[in-house]
Amino acid sequence: MDNHVNLVKLCVGADAVEDLEAWQAARRAGDPGHVLRHVTRMWPKREAELLAGGSLYWVFKGVILARQRILRLDEVIGEDGIRRCGIVLDPEIVRTAAAPRRPFQGWRYLAPADSPPDLPAGRPREEALPAELSAALAEIGVL
């Protein structure tokens, strides 16, 4: 039985996993000590479950295609004085099987049983099915 939970989040400003990889690589190149983190307004209430092996699953154009392991949650105080959550991520971006996701705001919890599997190491990418086909397959329980 899994004792962790994952998060799922839209990868805003990126159309493909390569965009996320390039953006994160550029951040690290400019500062070798750069900590990869995604800052969010809300602090996850299920922090212990996230830190027990959870990942942040990234959604690109309506499809989950990658994940990064969550290493820790840091407190980040913005210039406005408001406390935010910095989700610190492992630099390794793991490709996953394509899994359609409806639009949403912020992040959502994602149970391990509902998380797409990682792609085999020899298969660097999986092209997403057309949205209509994905929706039809999901409706009949195939996807």
Side-chain angles (χ1 to χ4, degrees), residues 10-140:
L10 302 180
C11 196
V12 178
D15 291 333
V17 179
E18 292 82 6
D19 297 332
L20 176 64
E21 291 170 334
W23 185 81
Q24 289 186 357
R27 298 289 300 224
R28 287 193 308 276
D31 176 7
H34 178 75
V35 175
L36 288 176
R37 69 178 180 197
H38 173 74
V39 179
T40 182
R41 189 171 50 93
M42 301 300 292
W43 195 281
K45 290 178 176 39
R46 299 173 70 180
E47 177 177 359
E49 291 172 88
L50 284 174
L51 299 179
S55 289
L56 177 59
Y57 283 77
W58 292 108
V59 177
F60 301 86
K61 291 183 147 184
V63 181
I64 296 174
L65 293 174
R67 70 174 180 86
Q68 286 178 277
R69 195 166 48 90
I70 297 171
L71 301 178
R72 68 178 189 268
L73 304 180
D74 287 351
E75 180 178 68
V76 176
I77 304 296
E79 291 179 14
D80 55 7
I82 296 175
R83 176 183 185 250
R84 293 181 171 82
C85 178
I87 303 169
V88 178
L89 303 168
D90 187 307
E92 181 184 12
I93 297 173
V94 178
R95 305 280 182 132
T96 67
R101 209 68 180 164
R102 292 191 176 162
F104 61 95
Q105 290 186 342
W107 49 261
R108 299 287 184 264
Y109 290 111
L110 181 65
D114 298 330
S115 303
D118 294 349
L119 288 180
R123 201 162 112 207
R125 71 176 33 90
E126 180 172 284
E127 298 303 322
L129 295 173
E132 299 81 21
L133 180 56
S134 289
L137 290 172
E139 195 170 303
I140 62 171

